[in-house]
Amino acid sequence: MSLYIKPVYLDADKCNGCVSCMKRCPTEAIRVRDGKATVRYERCVGCGECVKVCLTHAKKESCDSFDMLKNFEYTVALACPSIYGQFNHLDNLDYVLNGLLKLGFDDVFDVGYYSRFVSAATRRYIKDTDAKPIISSACPAVRNLILMRYAHLLDHLSPLKQPEEVAAEAAVEAAVKKTGLQREKIGVFLITHCAANLLNKADPDNQIDGFISLKEIYFPLLSEMNKLKASDLKPKAACDSHGVSWGCSTGESMGLGTKNFIVADGIENVMTVLNDLEHDKLGDIDFLELNACTQGCVGGSMNLENPFLARTRLRLFREKLPLVSAETDDISKYVRAKPYESKESAFLLSANRQEAMRKTILVKSIYDKLPKVNCGSCGAPTCKAFAEDVVNGLKVKCKFSKEEEIEIK
Amino acid sequence: MGDSIKLRYDVNGEDFVTCGQASEDVKRTLKGIGIPSATIRRVSIAMYEGEINMVIHGGGGVAEVEIFEDRITIVLKDTGKGIADIEKAMQEGYSTATEDIRELGFGAGMGLPNMKKYSDEFAIESKVGQGTTVTMTINFQEDA
Ligand SMILES: Nc1ncnc2c1ncn2[C@@H]1O[C@H](COP(=O)(O)OP(=O)(O)OP(=O)(O)O)[C@@H](O)[C@H]1O
Ligand code: SF4
Ligand code: SF4
Ligand SMILES: [Mg+2]
């Protein structure tokens, strides 16, 4: 029924209604109804916080199944740099990429290779724009958080495509050229560590056909990698030292030729920085690298390794790899065809201003009678959210208030 | 015409950390009724600066906000030390903030000028020893 992408889903049998996820969600997208967590997907930014916090593993990322490869005649895997932090004793990136080929992909692309072009375009954009600081659009959860809750900062959001998008375009072009197949017969798959990537499906320019969880393929991949000998390896890895660094926070900022950047990771910290930007409190800053996950992509919910160790591994690769930089004067090729649009309507009380104002007054009168303890036992994350739910016509109860008090007259 | 939305906040003069909660709540309210983003940013900056001034210079007070269909009015009232020379205080770069406060990134002397810049109507009244009242109105222009 819903037209919205669902980055996460609930395994209802496992959910015990503990409200942990509801309390953690940065956009108040979750409500617990009849003892089960439900998501209002129009508000979900895909941050994966609910997945990470759920002790019973009832919350999961809604990735595509590996079987989806069968729907295509030719398949390509896109591997993000954070994947290189997930293996102990990995000394050559090509083991990972060749392992993916062994799993059944016809080709594999190293996404980190494309970050140099995005960095070059970003350097150019920093020079050209007045809307500083530029906010990185690399983290899809942050991007969606801005569209939903900070649309007034949209001018600052980088309009550039991100490495996995550029890689997907390159993969399609190469596959068509190589096989002569029609686009529909070619399947481009992102091996993903993060539920927010799934929101790319709603993007009209999206070239990624399937999103496969790294968690799902990890052990089969590892076993293929273990069977490989150095002499079997096809040269597929193309990351340079910056490219591999994009897998964790600060990596992106290092390639921008400015020292005036801020790096923040973890969704709460991201919001702190956005609030300061909103109040014009950041001063002379060129770039904000904001990642919803701790330590950046290595902290995504579908990784296996702890983000700190993964980060160290990426650093060790960075030290071994050469630095290759690109330049571009014409960034038009890297600008997204369709500009980002506000998704704030998800938080409107009504599309009609008078009606919305009437509802706001009602929300306030109900809220004033509530205990304001934000206990969550009503199934809403805060007393404010509860009052909004009542006004929106949901049949909900507050343990601490008499029903007739909070009834709408 | 329907009723206006009336909001009232106590702004604690001791508390730096929670400062900004009133403007945060106003922002949320405006989003709920579909005010365009550009206007929300203006309100947000103007009100936040006013709130901070109440805490840093005014010893706390009360923020009263009224939202109409076409505009918002914000009245920030404190009973602090007041401002002796309002004309001076309104100048860009004028500040009496202490070194400590500057260390925290405040005290650029841009608060009042920005509040005036971002509001459509701006008034400030102050009496030394009695307190300061700032009144701002921002009209809701629809996004072009
Ligand atoms: N509510 C108030 N009560 C007393 N004095 C005030 C009040 N608001 C402003 N002032 C005085 O006016 C001066 C200028 O205020 P303004 O907000 O422009 O700058 P600031 O607060 O010093 O620095 P900034 O706002 O840039 O952090 C202040 O330094 C202070 O002396
Ligand atoms: S964290 Fe959420 S999904 Fe998990 S058991 Fe608790 S309510 Fe259910
Ligand atoms: S993924 Fe994030 S935004 Fe979506 S429901 Fe979970 S916590 Fe909320
Ligand atoms: Mg000030």
Side-chain angles (χ1 to χ4, degrees):
Chain A
M1 213 182 72
S2 163
L3 297 169
Y4 298 98
I5 307 286
K6 303 178 174 177
V8 292
Y9 73 96
L10 185 76
D11 182 343
D13 289 341
K14 288 189 178 160
C15 174
N16 60 21
C18 72
V19 312
S20 304
C21 59
M22 180 181 83
K23 285 285 188 183
R24 190 71 159 255
C25 176
T27 51
E28 298 187 349
I30 302 177
R31 297 290 183 277
V32 175
R33 296 277 172 258
D34 301 322
K36 304 289 172 193
T38 61
V39 179
R40 299 174 61 174
Y41 286 104
E42 74 276 19
R43 291 185 173 191
C44 174
V45 298
C47 66
E49 288 295 307
C50 56
V51 175
K52 290 180 206 167
V53 79
C54 178
L55 290 174
T56 65
H57 305 290
K59 266 290 174 65
K60 296 186 176 124
E61 309 87 351
S62 334
C63 286
D64 296 306
S65 131
F66 193 78
D67 287 342
M68 195 179 161
L69 267 72
K70 294 193 195 114
N71 302 348
F72 299 92
E73 278 179 37
Y74 186 85
T75 57
V76 188
L78 308 177
C80 294
S82 54
I83 197 173
Y84 300 129
Q86 306 304 312
F87 305 93
N88 212 352
H89 310 304
L90 180 69
D91 57 4
N92 179 342
L93 307 183
D94 268 323
Y95 279 99
V96 177
L97 302 179
N98 282 261
L100 287 167
L101 292 176
K102 291 283 175 200
L103 276 185
F105 291 100
D106 298 301
D107 202 356
V108 55
F109 276 64
D110 192 357
V111 170
Y113 167 76
Y114 297 91
S115 54
R116 71 189 63 164
F117 305 107
V118 178
S119 293
T122 308
R123 283 197 296 274
R124 186 74 239 176
Y125 186 66
I126 290 178
K127 283 208 184 95
D128 294 346
T129 184
D130 292 328
K132 283 203 244 321
I134 296 159
I135 307 173
S136 163
S137 51
C139 171
V142 169
R143 201 154 79 203
N144 279 286
L145 182 74
I146 290 168
L147 300 182
M148 280 182 210
R149 304 225 78 167
Y150 295 89
H152 49 294
L153 303 179
L154 242 167
D155 286 358
H156 294 275
L157 187 61
S158 167
L160 302 174
K161 292 175 198 164
Q162 295 308 309
E164 75 279 8
E165 297 171 287
V166 181
E169 284 172 11
V172 170
E173 200 183 308
V176 169
K177 202 163 153 200
K178 185 167 170 189
T179 64
L181 289 168
Q182 283 171 310
R183 172 65 183 91
E184 304 80 67
K185 305 226 156 89
I186 297 162
V188 176
F189 291 87
L190 183 71
I191 310 304
T192 183
H193 46 266
C194 130
N197 269 322
L198 289 153
L199 288 163
N200 285 14
K201 285 185 179 180
D203 181 345
D205 302 325
N206 172 47
Q207 294 288 347
I208 300 170
D209 301 298
F211 295 80
I212 293 184
S213 161
L214 173 62
K215 216 160 44 179
E216 186 195 338
I217 60 164
Y218 185 82
F219 289 105
L221 172 61
L222 190 60
S223 119
E224 292 299 341
M225 285 166 62
N226 284 334
K227 283 185 240 161
L228 285 165
K229 289 195 292 287
S231 55
D232 301 333
L233 297 179
K234 293 182 187 153
K236 286 288 168 190
C239 262
D240 71 323
S241 64
H242 270 151
V244 83
S245 308
W246 270 61
C248 54
S249 56
T250 321
E252 182 184 3
S253 298
M254 301 295 276
L256 296 179
T258 171
K259 288 182 177 157
N260 283 333
F261 58 79
I262 289 179
V263 178
D265 56 38
I267 196 92
E268 300 276 326
N269 299 327
V270 165
M271 291 197 278
T272 303
V273 174
L274 289 175
N275 288 338
D276 277 354
L277 171 59
E278 172 176 308
H279 300 134
D280 255 348
K281 286 289 165 199
L282 294 179
D284 234 355
I285 296 290
D286 290 324
F287 191 76
L288 301 182
E289 181 185 331
L290 305 177
N291 295 296
C293 293
T294 305
Q295 300 290 316
C297 293
V298 288
S301 62
M302 285 176 271
N303 288 308
L304 282 97
E305 197 53 88
N306 92 58
F308 305 95
L309 180 55
R311 180 185 190 109
T312 300
R313 290 182 183 150
L314 294 189
R315 175 168 51 78
L316 296 175
F317 278 117
R318 186 182 77 208
E319 284 165 9
K320 277 200 280 188
L321 290 167
L323 173 65
V324 188
S325 84
E327 281 310 325
T328 178
D329 279 329
D330 174 22
I331 65 169
S332 58
K333 188 169 150 199
Y334 296 104
V335 174
R336 301 167 62 87
K338 197 164 172 286
Y340 292 115
E341 279 171 14
S342 162
K343 295 184 182 174
E344 284 191 330
S345 56
F347 295 88
L348 268 180
L349 281 166
S350 162
N352 173 296
R353 173 130 358 130
Q354 283 185 1
E355 173 64 6
M357 288 181 69
R358 196 187 63 80
K359 283 185 164 183
T360 306
I361 295 167
L362 275 175
V363 168
K364 197 176 165 293
S365 72
I366 293 171
Y367 178 72
D368 285 343
K369 289 174 201 140
L370 297 173
K372 301 176 188 65
V373 288
N374 300 327
C375 69
S377 60
C378 59
T382 59
C383 295
K384 195 55 156 293
F386 171 86
E388 285 170 6
D389 288 352
V390 173
V391 171
N392 282 326
L394 294 173
K395 296 262 167 289
V396 283
K397 289 194 178 97
C398 169
K399 266 192 186 173
F400 302 97
S401 309
K402 291 201 194 81
E403 231 168 286
E404 56 275 18
E405 276 179 4
I406 54 168
E407 225 173 308
I408 306 177
K409 283 154 211 126
Chain B
M1 275 280 273
D3 288 336
S4 62
I5 301 167
K6 296 190 185 74
L7 306 165
R8 187 181 190 282
Y9 308 91
D10 290 319
V11 179
N12 183 340
E14 251 92 86
D15 200 348
F16 247 103
V17 185
T18 61
C19 186
Q21 280 179 352
S23 46
E24 182 64 32
D25 191 64
V26 169
K27 183 179 85 180
R28 180 188 173 130
T29 307
L30 294 178
K31 292 204 165 174
I33 64 169
I35 302 303
S37 334
T39 309
I40 292 187
R41 188 151 193 212
R42 287 168 60 209
V43 173
S44 188
I45 297 180
M47 176 142 182
Y48 179 78
E49 289 292 348
E51 236 186 295
I52 291 275
N53 276 359
M54 284 169 88
V55 175
I56 296 180
H57 312 294
V62 174
E64 278 178 336
V65 174
E66 189 161 4
I67 301 169
F68 302 89
E69 233 184 289
D70 60 346
R71 68 188 188 281
I72 179 171
T73 301
I74 301 162
V75 181
L76 306 166
K77 197 181 246 159
D78 67 60
T79 48
K81 61 180 188 287
I83 305 173
D85 187 343
I86 291 185
E87 213 172 301
K88 222 177 188 178
M90 289 304 300
Q91 281 169 14
E92 289 189 9
Y94 176 80
S95 173
T96 58
T98 61
E99 269 313 306
D100 293 2
I101 299 276
R102 278 171 219 258
E103 274 306 306
L104 285 169
F106 302 105
M110 290 305 291
L112 286 172
N114 274 336
M115 286 155 73
K116 183 168 177 178
K117 176 171 125 196
Y118 288 118
S119 47
D120 293 302
E121 283 169 46
F122 177 90
I124 177 165
E125 275 173 67
S126 189
K127 268 213 176 96
V128 176
Q130 290 185 21
T132 304
T133 302
V134 174
T135 308
M136 298 182 280
T137 298
I138 294 173
N139 299 327
F140 299 154
Q141 278 122 359
E142 301 309 312
D143 274 347

